[in-house]
Amino acid sequence: MLNIVVSISLIAVALSMIGIVYRVIKGPTTPDRVIALDSLGISLISVIGLISVLMRTSVFLEVILLLGILAFIGTVAFSKYLEKGEIIQRERDQ
Amino acid sequence: MSLLHLAIVLPFLAAVFIPFLFKGLKSIHTGWFVLLVPLFLFIYFIQYLPVTGDGETVTKTFEWIPSLGINFIAHVDGLGLLFAMLITGIGALVVLYSIYYLAKEKEALHNFYVYLLMFMGAMLGVVLSDNLIVLYMFWEFTSISSFLLIGYWYDRERSRYGAQKSMLITVFGGLSMLGGIVLLYLMGGTFSIQELIGLSDVLITDPLFVPALLLILLGAFTKSAQFPFHIWLPDAMEAPTPVSAYLHSATMVKAGIYLVARMSPVFAESGLWLWLVAGFGIFTLFWGSFNAVKQTDLKALLAYSTISQLGLIMSLLGVGAAALHYDYLDDNIYMIATIAAVFHLINHATFKGSLFMMAGIVDHETGTRDIRKLGGLVNLMPITFTIAIIGSFSMAGLPPFNGFLSKEMFLTGMLSVLELDLFNLSTWGVLFPVIAWIASVFTFVYSIKLVFKTFLGKPQFDKLPKKPHEAPIGMLISPLVLITLVVVFGFFPNLLSNSLIKPAVEAILPSLVESGQEVDVHIYFWHGFQPELFMTLGIILFGIVLYSTLAKWQGVYNRIPERFTLNGLYDRGLSGSESGGYRLTSGVMTGFMRTYLVYIFSFFVAILMSTLIIKQGFVYDTSGLAAIKSYEVILALVLVAGAVTILFAKSRLTSIVALGVVGYSVALFFVLFRAPDLALTQLVIETVTVALFLLCFYHLPEISRKEERMRFRFGNAVLSVLVGITITLIAMSAFSQRSSESISQYHIDNVYELAAGGNMVNVILVDFRGFDTLFEICVLGVAALGIYAMIRYRSARSENE
């Protein structure tokens, strides 16, 4: 029973990911793509969570945490780049 | 190390002190110190005459590399002693001559005498070594020192050309000789010539016998300027005349003769040896004498004459080898050829040495060696004329000089070929006396031309750069000594017969001595109406006719176009190999990384595929495979889609994102295949990598940012598909045939027991196999430092600019 539910959820997440990928490719502006990539990362988290349930294991929880951090950092970095033109500023720039 | 070894290396030891003497004692000509060395050695070697005269030999061993069987074995027998006396005797005369020839103010004498002493020691080593590797070592020393001596006036272009040419040809021969030596060692298991001689009847059945024979002969022929390797000798005439007299008439060019004589007992049972040595010798004799006639330079004429005479000796050695096949005969007539070879060897050294010194005197006193400018010197230079006429008449084979005796014996030897009934010689053997006779006619012509055009005829002193006059007495001593020997040996040939010739012949034909045949050197047998006497008369007659009509038939030499002469072939071969090599490298080494990658991948595919096919290594076995799950299929499709997008994407940015897709899919695969540590690492690393790619993309110069799809190349596509197929096939085959069980059970059992850990991957990384981790940390450290250095160094440089 649980397996069927999880499988259905996986298919649903996969379908949503396809939609997100469409936005990544199409997305008229860069911020559109950044948001789409961010949500792609979050969808990936749910995929891994569902697979962990299927496999009956807890060792992938770290992967989920890591993906969350990476998605956050990536989005912040991209946002900063879009805002200021560079990601890491030099301290003693004139 | 015995006294004999010290005697051989004495010239090398003396050479060390020459520069000090040259710099320290400027008032005395350095040659006087050098003169002591060959004089002392000559006297030392005279002591061995009674020893070898009794048929005894002296062998002294100095261990050099005993574990490899390479020892410096000095072996003195008749043949070695004959050469040693030639080397030291003529060496002393040449040094004396060079003292007056080379001015101490103008010349770099220390260079000259160091090279000359090196050469002398090397030649002594060649003729007195019993170990073939040591012989080869000294052989190469002679090549090197000869190269240095030919290029003595290194600021002249022709000297450098001649030195390079002689170096290339003789070293080529030397290296093939080394190959022959190695083959002999493989067959006989020893480097000692004397032991190889004992094994000669075993060696001849060995399949390596013929290659060894050919390689050794190649070495001997190149060194002794046999056809077609004779071309270096005329160009070596750019050397100072004492060098030409010493190296290129008496010693170095006879190293090949020595080698053939020395190896005769090993190889001479074979008919191939007889044919090659005698055939090449007789043709060289003809070709050298034919070409000598057209030369207008005194030394070039003498060079071709040397080639021709060396061919004569070589052919005699070849025919003399036939004597070994008749060891049952009581009166072995073929032995006369070997006797003649040894006798002519001595004679040639005497008269050719004196003729070269004569040419040097003429050059020194008139400023030219060109026959067309010379003439009528007889009244001004009577002593030089005497030297020239005796030397030339001896060379031409006229009585009463020693050349006559050896020429008669040569003809006897060649006539004896007519009676040979082995190796098809009964049919083609008739060519030998005929060619020998024709060549002797040409020898007569150029010998006469040498004297008559230089000393007789119309004087034309206004054409000469210097006002000619007789040479100083010091310069005349050496050629006079040699010419005296020519006359003495001519009248009393038996002075030599028992002391030098007989032991030498016994060394060349040891098996005959063993079978009880007496080497009876009877040179006196020149009187009597033998066919060779009439041949000599014919030579003189036809020679006079040819000489008097020289102007009419000289045009025949211009018939051969320059392109097809051997020198032309050599020059074009050299420049052709250079330009060919250049074209090859510039064709293959394009400088484009993609070309090299194509090479690498092509060889990769060719080698692996051919191995797979030849060894029939492809196996496909499904028994060990796991069931395929639906997620894996979907994920694999995503991965393939990402990879294909990289290839066909129009923009680079898309490719980078697609690469990220591939990396993240791999991370998901790690999740599916239950590898959490790998998945963690893969995700972080993939993120960083994509970020770095984006960094690179952002900094691309505007001009190359043109967005265009990767160009399609059919060859690249085929190659990439082939590489993929190869790897796939190998992976499938490898998985289908596992040779042994995995060792992972040990890790599973002991991860907690031995290492106190639950995470097996980490325990392997830091405990079971922690060494790898250490050096991977090292790699990362180096990479980080490298990046830091690259960025810092570049910015520091740009600030300086």
Side-chain angles (χ1 to χ4, degrees), chain B residues 172-189:
Chain B
F172 160 72
L175 284 175
S176 42
M177 189 180 108
L178 179 64
I181 290 170
V182 172
L183 289 184
L184 277 176
Y185 181 75
L186 291 180
M187 287 188 283

Side-chain angles (χ1 to χ4, degrees), chain B residues 345-387:
Chain B
L345 186 83
I346 304 168
N347 294 344
H348 178 251
T350 54
F351 67 69
K352 192 53 66 65
S354 64
L355 283 177
F356 266 111
M357 291 174 186
M358 179 278 293
I361 291 170
V362 170
D363 187 15
H364 206 263
E365 306 306 334
T366 65
T368 183
R369 300 193 309 249
D370 194 330
I371 281 183
R372 289 167 297 190
K373 294 182 189 163
L374 294 167
L377 292 173
V378 61
N379 293 323
L380 290 165
M381 307 170 79
I383 306 175
T384 318
F385 172 69
T386 315
I387 294 165

Side-chain angles (χ1 to χ4, degrees), chain A residues 27-80:
Chain A
T29 63
T30 311
D32 288 330
R33 292 195 175 98
V34 174
I35 297 292
L37 280 173
D38 190 47
S39 43
L40 197 66
I42 304 303
S43 313
L44 214 54
I45 290 175
S46 53
V47 168
I48 294 171
L50 290 167
I51 289 173
S52 298
V53 175
L54 270 183
M55 290 179 174
R56 308 271 192 277
T57 173
S58 61
V59 293
F60 293 114
L61 298 182
E62 288 151 3
V63 178
I64 291 169
L65 287 174
L66 183 82
L67 263 176
I69 293 167
L70 284 179
F72 172 70
I73 293 173
T75 312
V76 167
F78 235 116
S79 309
K80 191 176 177 191

